[in-house]
Amino acid sequence: MRLVPIVLVISALECMRGVTVSPACKCISYESSHTKVGYFTSPNFSQPYPDGIHCLLYTFVGEKDEMVELTLLEFDLQAPFHDSCDDAVTMYLDLKQPAVNEYTKPDAVLCGSIYNIPSVHYYSTKNILMFEFKSDDIRSNNTGFQGEFKFLKQDLFSTNGDLVSNTNCDYIIDSKGKLRRGKFFSPGYPSFNKMKSIHCKYTFAGSHNQRVKLYFKKVTLKGTESSCISSRDKILVHDGDSIESAVIAEYCDTESLVEVFSTGSNMLVQLFAKTIKSTEGFEASYEFIDDSIYPSSELSSTEPDREGGSTDLGSPSVVDCDRIIRSVNQAGQPTVSGNFTSPNYPNPYPANIQCRYTFIGKGRERVQIKFADFDLYHPTKESEDCVDVDIVEISTIINGESADVDDFCGKAESQMVMSSGAKLTVTFMSFGALNGATRDNRGFLGQYNFVTNFGIETGEMANDSACGFIYNSSVTKSGTFNSPNYPGRYPRNTECHFMFYGFPEEQVRIAFTYFDIEGIYPCLGNTESDYVEFSNFRASVDRKLPRYCGGNKPRVQISDGQFFRVTFKSNSMFDATGFDAKYQFIDVSNADETHAPSSSGRNKEKSRHKHNKGRSTTVQTPPSSAADETHAPSSSGRNKEKSRHKHTRGRSTTVQTPPSSAAGNINNQQASDSSAKTSGGGGSPSSTSSNGICLSCTCIFMCMQVSWCFLPLVSSYWQLVLL
């Protein structure tokens, strides 16, 4: 229903009986007593809006138990100039009465296109919302805006639980005497909350035979380029009712449609936020599930498409082969590992069938799959990328959607596959026989494991992180660690932390024996890169140490002191094989200066100093995988390790084959580094001689700008001329 507003040119006191920004304001009013849903537009939409609109005030007033939702369907204003919006929509979301003036603090100022604004959805904190539209005196061809408004009941966003006394946002949600399912929200959602340093706890308490299922429909927090460990705004999900219980999920950016299952009957969710602005926070639902009953969503997702449990891919074959495999069976007993097979294995499988094997874990469990035997029908003429042949497809759930992990056909080599969350699906499809050929292939024998250690066999798992591992010098002085699921491809949307704790007079030494992380240097979020980063601090970024990704193996890393952190983070788009590394705790109490770590964190990147208007800056070159520190980063084509190319959702990546045995050790790599420093590595000529004299045209150009670079003596002048 479209509501045609009435525009009134009236005084400030008459405009909604309140005070406006300017006495010259024109007012457009909408009240829920007239309609619950409608549309609003800028003047002349969809033609260019007039110039010289000094104040056009849109006012929405609902009943006391209502709130206002605005959705911008189209938005096209003049682009900002020097971060200033001359044409703008100014939002007021937190009002007790329909009145604003020049002292009212706005909650959002919008200009530019719909792609420039932070959100298209805006909500009032109470029953009133107002926004002002203005344009300058310069004529433009921008068409303005069109939007939809709704008056909603405020209790749609109320948490179903008991608020703990003397707290602002701590809730206890008990399955006894309450609904078995309900909703819970961050404070003030979907608008915002003015509390500072928010810390909310939601405790879920089920019966002894129940588990808790959480479904985060939407999470929007202040995302950072760094990992969650250094983020102030985050959600921690604990597998129990105490903050000491293991963290099984962690969110610090934007997520949607994420499921989490508890191991036992209790679960705790903690929300940490410095502030929650408009459109930030989360909305989620919960359900208490009996162990003996499958959730309805799981049943529906694995229902057969036709009677008999198979899909018709040609002439029909009646085979009941769909299976749900959970880490806890109906009797409540764990099923940590086992086998699954194609129909009739090891005898030939039928044609024209589809079988779906759904694996569902709990807590921080991940599903790990490996094929012990794999033999599918494949025509004589090889088909590329397993197209139009019998195939096994493996998928996981990322942001509520099914995402392909890998596929296998023919006599594929066995490699481990791991889910990104607690659920993974294996789909087997056989097609009709070609040219009357018969099946004599035996199919496959698969092995599954529900693992909580992400395939990382070393270290002690930390309780305060979904994927965290602790290495103490008091336990062992050296060892190895690796990326999740190594030497298989690491899971997407995964963040792991490796914490190394030495004694006061020790330092930590890290050397990589294998490295293949999908990404493009400098491994930032705008390149959709996975990365490995290092830090001398437990929960903050160490800005003097760069990130690493691609095929460029990091040089040896040495901590500043007794603590060191290595963080691995993958995004939701791409994957690769990962890394294998060695660590060593080094006693430096008697070390001489030649072995002492450098003050720059042992990073040792070559840098040059540039003076720019009195400010001295350090420009670092990208880290090199070669031992010679003057080399530029080598491309994946020069890595000279055995590799295979795989196209992963549009990006062509180089996936290196892990070595059959760990190549080299820490001492060998140290010797290699030392040798490279003395020999120069055979790289490009150095731009300076040993005494700092410029020997190349590049350096001559730098000498003209940098105060510390000076022309040498006359004897060196002729060298410069010749070069």
Side-chain angles (χ1 to χ4, degrees), residues 461-653:
M461 286 207 73
N463 271 348
D464 58 355
S465 175
C467 179
F469 296 85
I470 297 173
Y471 300 84
N472 278 306
S473 175
S474 59
V475 177
T476 181
K477 295 297 183 183
S478 63
T480 63
F481 66 102
N482 54 265
S483 55
N485 198 46
Y486 183 85
R489 302 173 75 83
Y490 54 74
R492 301 172 202 165
N493 253 21
T494 300
E495 180 176 313
C496 294
H497 306 283
F498 305 87
M499 308 285 190
F500 298 88
Y501 294 90
F503 288 109
E505 294 184 343
E506 288 183 333
Q507 291 173 323
V508 187
R509 196 171 194 273
I510 305 293
F512 288 82
T513 57
Y514 178 83
F515 194 85
D516 175 31
I517 303 296
E518 208 287 330
I520 302 171
Y521 186 83
C523 318
L524 301 178
N526 58 3
T527 62
E528 300 293 349
S529 294
D530 306 334
Y531 62 83
V532 168
E533 71 177 9
F534 308 96
S535 179
N536 286 284
F537 313 104
R538 190 193 179 283
S540 59
V541 177
D542 198 336
R543 301 194 181 280
K544 65 179 177 290
L545 301 179
R547 291 178 178 177
Y548 288 85
C549 61
N552 293 319
K553 187 189 302 182
R555 57 177 55 87
V556 172
Q557 301 288 323
I558 301 180
S559 66
D560 286 347
Q562 67 190 86
F563 173 81
F564 203 53
R565 170 171 60 86
V566 179
T567 292
F568 161 79
K569 187 171 183 178
S570 64
N571 58 35
S572 62
M573 298 190 67
F574 309 113
D575 52 31
T577 309
F579 68 83
D580 190 28
K582 295 185 177 184
Y583 69 90
Q584 184 178 1
F585 294 99
I586 305 172
D587 187 351
V588 294
S589 57
N590 297 318
D592 57 34
E593 293 182 358
T594 61
H595 293 88
S598 66
S599 61
S600 63
R602 269 61 71 193
N603 203 14
K604 298 182 181 179
E605 278 89 10
K606 178 183 176 184
S607 62
R608 59 183 177 86
H609 293 275
K610 179 178 179 180
H611 290 267
N612 186 12
K613 295 183 179 181
R615 176 180 296 179
S616 177
T617 61
T618 300
V619 182
Q620 292 185 346
T621 61
S624 170
S625 62
D628 180 11
E629 295 172 3
T630 63
H631 285 180
S634 64
S635 68
S636 59
R638 294 195 292 265
N639 214 321
K640 294 187 179 180
E641 294 188 58
K642 182 181 178 183
S643 65
R644 59 184 177 88
H645 290 275
K646 181 179 179 68
H647 290 270
T648 308
R649 297 184 64 182
R651 180 184 288 186
S652 177
T653 63

Side-chain angles (χ1 to χ4, degrees), residues 117 184 204 424 433 465 467 471 608 652 677 708:
I117 61 179
F184 65 107
F204 300 87
L424 182 139
S465 175
C467 179
Y471 300 84
R608 59 183 177 86
S652 177
K677 292 175 184 177
W708 51 261

Side-chain angles (χ1 to χ4, degrees), residues 84-100:
S84 176
C85 296
D86 295 325
D87 295 2
V89 166
T90 303
M91 292 279 185
Y92 301 92
L93 306 177
D94 186 32
L95 299 173
K96 294 181 180 179
Q97 57 182 346
V100 294

